[in-house]
């Protein structure tokens, strides 16, 4: 039989040590999520009720619910999606199905990477300069949503492109050989098989969009508005900005209130994320080829 | 104007700098099975791709020379999708689209504008029958075509190609991923189809060309070496290029 | 041969039908979609520069902007626009964040890519994704109401809104993107490398250290760069947790103010077109250029990998 040498034993010990260290690091990195959820639940859980979700803030935002902010966030996210999903899917279809390997394609890819990396406050400056002032939308849901749309566009593009590229090339060739045009091929075979992957990306984008604060601060979100928006040219409250406002700008807020608002916000975001992760897992199990 | 179904004159195919086929000239006659044999990388598949202008969808692929299909230069087509609808293609590896068996076969008719369910039913059943697949799938036309067995998928591909009502059927080493029994069944189908269309059969199996092809071309390293009636390849005293004889007799390839 | 050629009337078959025109139209539409990304990034630079140009052309000097720590745009007697303290604020917070995030993210990436298997791996990945999903304003709120009293208690300092607080938070915020990209880089190393080394009797860790890490070096560097970019551009969390005091920090317990936070805090109170307003856009130009360079470098590094 082989005898374990001292060297072997030392290697094995190092291996176990390193493995434990990396596991510890991973856990320390991941633990804050649970910790934060725990803290928010403990301190803000008592706030949660249907009344909290469906009444307006009162007493200078020191009491009452979050209805206008909740509705505002839904408006902002919906309009942002309406703008970004068609453009993002078109861009992804171009990159995945049409783009030749040339300089322009490389420039587009670089633009997408940079669009994702531009600081959110710079997006806010852009939204202010472009949509609010130049295009004359004023501080409005429209201006804020378009700012959010451009900011989250890379999320849709990247997710959609991945979903499209996961569809085997052989399917496209089979369609082309039958005389299908590029678009018929995409519409009848590629997109139907990528739609769930695209959906995963869109849901992820919803979660990103709902949580953003900086881009909407100067483009369309208001500190306090006692009524619900009636059109896209109105300003609106938003959950994310509402949390910022009551946490930093409003005096004498009862301690539990901002925790409650944070809990609702993070609940929305994580629910969307869970949906996205769930969909992805389900997809992986449901193979079509 | 010749009455050849496919007329190739001085065809050269390139991928970037790489030359896949050089200066090939030959003709394929109507209603014959035209075999193309030769080792890998001889330019056989590239030739098929030129016939239905797949070069437009293949990065870096270009061709020079003249290729006529049905008496019309393939470059002259203003709507090359209409050209492709004339030509059915069967790949080496079977590709069942991730649609139901029914939708696989109804795909091309629908593109051509057939909408009525009754008409589609007739086409689907007819094509599946002729591809010798009907009996195996008639009870599960709604199953995914991409999840059939390899042999079934290959026959599904043939049914799909037939659903285009093609004038020309191109087969590219269709038996690579298929069991011998299925291969024999498909070969029988091809012999019948000859009456209705012209068939170009690229094959790596010399014996398959011998069984099926009326005339056969031998491609080698980008060169069309010989075109001759198939039996000539197997006659001891025929006047045949020595490279073709060596290949047919299995000395290389 | 006298029989007429059996050819069909190809000219009649060869008509451009609706499908042909639809296909061409869609090709144009998706091209516009693809190019829109370029239009947007150029548009962002153009609009931010346009709004801030007045400041750059009239009030900007290298010394005054990068050399002065006095950011006093609202002073009536002598408004000054020195960005040095703001840059130092951003740099100190980002620096501390990277000190925390780089080792932990790389460690986590190595564990997830090389050691973890099956269910553990899935759970860890989901947790990392959840970490990425927490909105920055919630992070800021955590810094403000959880970390702040904690730091005051533990370190016995008068205020807990400081470099340490925002740096830790920023580290946690930048960690997921670094972990994900680093993990991708590690996974891109072919398994044959690992198998070859393990066949020689090396342990997993030896394989990782000697073979996998060197092979993934550039991808890991790109991951770190993108993390830096993320930290550099973060706004709400830094605004809420850093104390927002114009200050050249000398210890982790000093309050500082970041570039991004300055824009967020002051833009609402400026008149459109005023020098102060333009100065804030000038900060925006600076932020844009720096993040652009960071992202470009990361991309070039990654592209370098693909070439070799």
């Amino acid at each position: 039989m082989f005898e374990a040498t001292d060297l072997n034993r030392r290697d094995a010990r190092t291996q176990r040590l390193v493995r434990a260290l990396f596991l510890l690091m991973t856990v320390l990195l991941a633990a804050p999520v649970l910790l934060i959820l725990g803290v928010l639940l403990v301190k803000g859980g008592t706030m949660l009720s249907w009344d909290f979700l469906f009444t307006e803030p009162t007493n200078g935002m020191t009491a009452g619910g979050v209805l206008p902010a909740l509705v505002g966030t839904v408006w902002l996210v919906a309009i942002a999606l309406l703008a970004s999903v068609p453009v993002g899917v078109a861009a992804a279809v171009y990159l995945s199905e049409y783009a030749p390997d040339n300089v322009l394609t490389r420039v587009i890819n670089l633009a997408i990477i940079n669009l994702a990396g531009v600081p959110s406050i710079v997006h806010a400056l852009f939204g202010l300069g472009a949509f609010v002032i130049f295009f004359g939308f004023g501080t409005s849901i429209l201006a804020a949503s378009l700012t959010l749309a451009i900011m989250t566009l890379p999320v849709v593009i990247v997710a959609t492109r991945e979903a499209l590229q996961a569809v085997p090339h052989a399917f496209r060739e089979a369609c082309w050989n039958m005389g299908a045009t590029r678009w018929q091929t995409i519409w009848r075979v590629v997109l139907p098989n990528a739609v769930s992957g695209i959906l995963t990306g869109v849901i992820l984008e919803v979660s990103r969009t709902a949580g953003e604060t900086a881009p909407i601060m100067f483009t369309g979100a208001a500190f306090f508005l006692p009524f619900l928006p009636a059109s896209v040219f109105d300003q609106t409250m938003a959950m994310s900005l509402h949390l910022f406002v009551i946490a930093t700008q409003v005096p004498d807020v009862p301690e539990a209130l901002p925790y409650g608002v944070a809990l609702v916000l993070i609940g929305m975001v994580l629910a969307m994320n869970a949906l996205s992760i769930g969909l992805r897992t389900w997809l992986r199990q449901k193979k079509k080829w | 104007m010749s009455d050849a179904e496919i007329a190739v004159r001085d065809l050269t195919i390139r991928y970037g700098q790489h030359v896949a086929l050089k200066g090939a000239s030959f003709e394929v006659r109507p209603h014959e099975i035209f075999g193309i044999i030769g080792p890998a990388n001889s330019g056989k598949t590239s030739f098929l791709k030129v016939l239905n202008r797949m070069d437009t969808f293949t990065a870096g692929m270009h061709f020079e020379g003249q290729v006529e299909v049905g008496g019309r230069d393939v470059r002259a087509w203003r709507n090359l999708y209409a050209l492709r609808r004339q030509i059915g293609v069967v790949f080496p590896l079977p590709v069942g689209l991730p649609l139901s068996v029914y939708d696989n076969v109804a795909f091309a008719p629908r593109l051509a504008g057939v909408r009525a369910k009754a008409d589609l039913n007739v086409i689907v059943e007819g094509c599946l029958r002729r591809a010798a697949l009907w009996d195996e799938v008639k009870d599960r036309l709604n199953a995914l075509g991409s999840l059939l067995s390899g042999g079934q998928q290959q026959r599904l591909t043939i049914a799909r190609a037939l659903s285009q009502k093609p004038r020309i059927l191109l087969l590219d080493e269709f038996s690579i991923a298929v069991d011998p029994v299925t291969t024999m069944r498909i070969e029988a189908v091809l012999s019948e189809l000859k009456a209705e269309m012209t068939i170009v059969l690229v094959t790596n199996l010399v014996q398959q060309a011998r069984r099926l092809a009326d005339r056969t071309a031998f491609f080698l390293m980008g060169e069309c070496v010989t075109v001759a009636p198939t039996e000539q390849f197997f006659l001891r005293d025929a006047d045949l290029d020595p490279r073709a004889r060596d290949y047919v007799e299995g000395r290389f390839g | 041969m006298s029989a007429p050629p059996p050819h069909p009337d190809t000219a009649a078959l060869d008509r451009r039908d609706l499908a042909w025109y639809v296909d061409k139209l869609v090709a144009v539409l998706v091209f516009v979609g693809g190019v829109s990304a370029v239009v947007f990034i150029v548009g962002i630079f153009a609009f931010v520069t346009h709004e801030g140009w007045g400041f750059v052309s009239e009030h900007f000097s290298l010394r005054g902007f990068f050399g002065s720590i006095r950011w006093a745009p609202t002073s009536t007697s002598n408004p000054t626009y020195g960005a040095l303290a703001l840059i130092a604020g951003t740099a100190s917070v980002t620096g501390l964040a990277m000190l925390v995030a780089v080792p932990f993210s790389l460690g986590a990436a190595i564990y997830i890519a090389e050691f973890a298997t099956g269910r553990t791996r899935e759970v860890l990945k989901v947790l990392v994704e959840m970490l990425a999903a927490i909105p920055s304003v919630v992070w800021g709120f955590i810094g403000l109401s959880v970390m702040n009293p904690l730091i005051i208690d533990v370190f016995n300092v008068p205020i807990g809104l400081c470099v340490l607080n925002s740096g830790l938070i920023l580290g946690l915020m930048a960690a997921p993107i670094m972990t994900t990209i680093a993990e991708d880089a590690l996974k891109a190393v072919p398994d044959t490398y690992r198998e070859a080394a393990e066949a020689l009797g090396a342990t997993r860790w030896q394989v990782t250290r000697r073979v996998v890490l060197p092979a993934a070096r550039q991808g890991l560097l790109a991951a770190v760069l993108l993390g830096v970019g993320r930290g550099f551009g973060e706004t709400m969390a830094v605004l809420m947790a850093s104390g927002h005091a114009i200050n050249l920090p000398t210890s982790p317990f000093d309050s500082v103010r970041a570039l991004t936070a300055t824009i967020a805090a002051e833009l609402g109170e400026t008149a459109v077109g005023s020098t102060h307003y333009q100065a804030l856009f000038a900060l925006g130009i600076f932020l844009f250029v720096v993040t652009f360079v960071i992202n470009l470098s990361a991309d070039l590094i990654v592209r370098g990998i693909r070439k070799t």
Side-chain angles (χ1 to χ4, degrees):
Chain A
M1 293 309 298
F2 294 109
E3 283 283 317
T5 64
D6 283 350
L7 204 61
N8 285 151
R9 273 198 288 274
R10 215 180 62 209
D11 285 348
R13 209 165 51 232
T14 319
Q15 156 93 359
R16 275 199 301 277
L17 218 68
V18 166
R19 195 193 150 97
L21 177 69
F22 285 149
L23 175 60
L24 184 71
M25 288 170 111
T26 315
V27 168
L28 280 178
L29 202 61
V33 182
L34 305 175
L35 222 58
I36 288 169
L37 276 180
V39 170
L40 292 182
L41 268 173
V42 169
K43 294 212 177 183
T46 54
M47 295 297 301
L48 288 191
S49 68
W50 292 116
D51 267 2
F52 185 64
L53 293 179
F54 294 115
T55 59
E56 296 180 358
T58 49
N59 288 350
M61 289 193 279
T62 57
V66 295
L67 181 67
L70 203 58
V71 172
T73 291
V74 172
W75 271 84
L76 289 169
V77 171
I79 310 273
L81 284 188
L82 275 179
S84 67
V85 170
V87 178
V89 170
V93 166
Y94 177 72
L95 289 170
S96 160
E97 309 294 321
Y98 288 83
D101 185 12
N102 62 14
V103 176
L104 178 66
T105 306
R106 248 166 285 157
V107 170
I108 292 174
N109 280 317
L110 200 61
I112 292 166
I113 291 168
N114 274 292
L115 212 49
V118 168
S120 54
I121 193 70
V122 176
H123 279 285
L125 292 175
F126 166 67
L128 178 61
F131 300 126
V132 176
I133 298 173
F134 184 79
F135 290 113
F137 298 153
T139 42
S140 60
I141 293 179
L142 185 60
S145 290
L146 291 179
T147 310
L148 286 171
I150 290 181
M151 181 167 177
T152 49
L153 191 61
V155 182
V156 192
I157 297 180
V158 171
T160 306
R161 187 175 49 188
E162 257 173 43
L164 292 174
Q165 281 171 352
V167 180
H169 192 72
F171 294 160
R172 295 175 177 83
E173 281 184 11
C175 292
W176 296 339
N177 277 314
M178 282 191 277
T181 64
R182 272 187 193 275
W183 173 242
Q184 286 170 329
T185 304
I186 295 164
W187 181 248
R188 287 166 188 246
V189 172
V190 182
L191 278 178
N193 285 290
V195 75
S196 15
I198 298 172
L199 207 58
T200 313
V202 170
I203 295 170
L204 207 61
E205 190 204 1
V206 170
S207 119
R208 282 275 316 271
T209 313
E212 280 300 338
T213 315
I216 59 175
M217 275 174 101
F218 312 109
T219 50
F223 279 24
F224 179 62
L225 278 179
F227 50 84
L228 300 182
S231 87
V232 292
F233 293 103
D234 285 347
Q235 290 189 45
T236 181
M237 292 179 74
M239 286 303 291
S240 54
L241 187 64
H242 187 55
L243 173 59
F244 174 71
V245 169
I246 58 171
T248 62
Q249 315 279 311
V250 181
D252 304 323
V253 175
E255 207 206 341
L257 183 60
Y259 282 99
V261 174
L263 199 57
V264 175
L265 179 59
I266 211 171
M268 287 165 69
V269 166
L270 287 186
M272 283 292 157
N273 252 60
L275 196 61
S276 168
I277 292 170
L279 189 63
R280 204 178 51 206
T281 317
W282 178 70
L283 275 177
R284 237 183 266 148
Q285 290 160 352
K286 188 180 126 255
K287 283 256 177 226
K288 276 182 122 182
W289 56 79
Chain B
M1 192 158 141
S2 85
D3 60 356
E5 185 66 34
I6 299 168
V8 180
R9 276 188 286 282
D10 213 17
L11 173 65
T12 295
I13 306 172
R14 290 178 219 277
Y15 293 90
Q17 299 297 314
H18 171 72
V19 177
L21 188 66
K22 198 170 62 192
S25 297
F26 55 90
E27 292 188 342
V28 179
R29 296 171 191 155
H31 298 287
E32 73 173 343
I33 295 186
F34 186 83
I36 302 180
I37 58 173
N41 296 320
S42 296
K44 308 187 298 275
T45 303
S46 302
F47 166 64
L48 297 187
K49 282 179 143 185
V50 167
L51 288 182
N52 68 355
R53 292 302 312 277
M54 210 44 84
D55 60 300
T56 54
F57 284 6
T58 309
M61 183 176 175
H62 300 283
F63 72 96
E64 296 143 29
Q66 202 180 12
V67 177
E68 281 179 9
V69 171
R72 186 178 175 87
D73 191 321
V74 291
R75 282 193 229 257
W77 288 75
R78 299 166 68 235
N79 181 356
L80 59 86
Y81 307 110
L83 165 66
R84 287 181 189 156
R85 281 175 218 138
Q86 312 286 308
I87 302 175
V89 183
V90 176
F91 295 102
L93 297 176
V95 178
L97 293 173
L99 306 167
S100 71
V101 170
Y102 186 97
D103 289 340
N104 261 278
V105 185
F107 191 92
R110 280 178 176 144
L111 290 184
V114 181
R115 290 276 174 277
K117 185 79 181 160
D119 296 344
L120 287 172
N121 286 345
V122 172
I123 298 174
V124 169
E125 180 173 346
C127 293
L128 285 171
R129 276 190 193 284
R130 287 162 81 199
L133 185 59
W134 174 254
D135 291 335
E136 288 165 54
V137 298
K138 64 177 183 230
D139 298 325
R140 45 189 182 125
L141 290 174
N142 290 320
L144 276 176
S146 45
L147 295 182
L148 296 178
S149 77
Q152 289 173 331
Q153 282 196 46
Q154 194 60 301
R155 278 174 286 157
L156 180 64
T157 315
I158 290 175
R160 224 168 45 202
L162 294 180
S163 75
Q164 293 170 239
K165 296 213 187 83
R167 292 177 49 81
I168 300 174
L169 183 61
L170 310 178
L171 296 112
D172 189 359
E173 305 193 346
F174 73 86
S175 50
I176 271 188
V178 174
D179 59 281
V181 176
T182 308
T183 302
M184 297 313 287
R185 298 181 69 171
I186 295 177
E187 286 185 6
V189 170
L190 294 181
S191 306
E192 287 173 25
L193 285 174
K194 201 166 89 165
E196 297 162 48
M197 59 193 73
T198 307
I199 298 174
V200 179
L201 173 72
V202 166
T203 178
N204 53 336
L205 305 172
V206 171
Q207 294 309 321
Q208 188 170 61
R210 186 177 194 176
R211 285 193 295 272
L212 292 173
D214 299 300
R215 294 189 310 134
T216 294
F218 172 60
F219 281 25
L220 179 63
M221 297 198 303
E223 189 189 341
C224 175
V225 176
T226 309
V227 181
T230 306
E231 62 269 23
Q232 291 229 343
F233 282 82
F234 302 94
L235 293 177
R236 280 248 144 256
D237 51 354
D239 175 23
L240 196 62
D241 188 287
R243 288 172 291 174
R245 184 172 304 285
D246 285 352
Y247 179 73
V248 168
E249 291 178 0
R251 292 210 193 96
F252 74 96
Chain C
M1 292 269 277
S2 60
H7 296 151
D9 182 2
T10 47
L13 288 168
D14 183 18
R15 277 205 320 268
R16 289 181 177 168
D17 48 8
L18 183 63
W20 190 91
Y21 286 104
V22 170
D23 186 56
K24 280 281 172 272
L25 179 68
V26 171
V28 172
L29 287 179
V30 296
F31 177 74
V32 170
V35 171
S36 74
V38 181
V39 173
F40 291 141
I41 196 84
V42 172
I44 289 173
F45 183 69
F47 272 102
V48 175
T49 308
H50 176 255
E51 295 291 309
W53 193 248
F55 175 82
V56 176
S57 61
E58 285 168 39
H59 303 272
F60 179 83
S61 73
L62 276 180
R63 270 197 62 148
F65 191 75
F66 293 109
S68 159
I69 63 162
R70 204 175 117 83
W71 177 265
T74 50
S75 159
T76 43
S77 55
N78 179 26
T80 49
Y81 302 93
L84 183 60
L86 311 180
I87 295 171
T90 291
S92 59
V93 173
T94 309
L96 183 69
M98 289 306 119
L99 227 53
V100 181
V102 171
F104 277 83
S105 307
L106 296 188
I110 293 171
Y111 188 80
I112 292 173
E114 304 293 323
F115 292 101
T117 50
R119 231 186 155 67
T120 328
R121 187 190 155 105
E122 289 306 309
V123 170
L124 289 175
K125 287 189 73 151
V126 166
L127 281 175
V128 170
E129 267 179 60
M130 281 170 69
L131 196 65
I134 298 178
S136 70
V137 68
V138 173
W139 282 115
F141 176 65
I142 297 293
L144 196 63
S145 44
V146 180
M147 301 270 286
N148 181 26
L150 201 67
I151 290 175
I152 293 175
D153 278 357
V154 173
F155 296 101
N156 199 18
V157 286
I159 187 159
L161 299 174
C162 56
V163 174
L164 178 67
N165 188 338
S166 45
L168 283 177
I169 282 180
L170 212 53
L172 283 172
M173 292 180 73
I177 185 172
M178 290 165 70
T179 308
T180 311
I181 293 174
E183 191 209 333
D184 285 347
L186 293 173
K187 278 214 304 241
V189 177
D191 270 341
T192 45
Y193 286 30
R194 296 184 180 83
E195 283 155 16
E198 274 175 354
L200 297 174
T203 64
R204 235 316 133 82
W205 168 236
Q206 286 168 328
V207 174
T208 305
R209 190 163 60 104
R210 300 275 170 83
V211 180
V212 179
L213 288 183
R217 201 176 53 231
Q218 288 170 309
L220 299 179
L221 184 58
V224 171
L225 271 179
L226 289 174
V228 172
R230 182 80 211 276
F232 192 83
E234 175 47 43
T235 309
M236 298 313 290
V238 181
L239 174 63
M240 294 165 82
S242 68
H244 212 55
I246 298 172
N247 207 350
L248 278 182
T250 52
S251 98
F253 299 105
D254 284 347
S255 292
V256 291
R257 193 195 238 205
L259 289 161
T260 50
T262 305
I263 302 175
E266 295 179 2
L267 191 61
E269 276 128 46
T270 60
V272 172
S274 64
T275 307
H276 185 188
Y277 171 90
Q278 291 173 345
L280 293 176
F281 273 85
L283 294 184
I285 301 172
F286 180 65
L287 280 169
F288 181 92
V289 170
V290 172
T291 44
F292 192 88
V293 169
I294 290 173
N295 285 306
L296 195 64
S297 326
D299 185 63
L300 287 177
I301 290 169
V302 173
R303 202 169 293 283
I305 303 173
R306 292 215 194 98
K307 269 197 190 128
T308 49

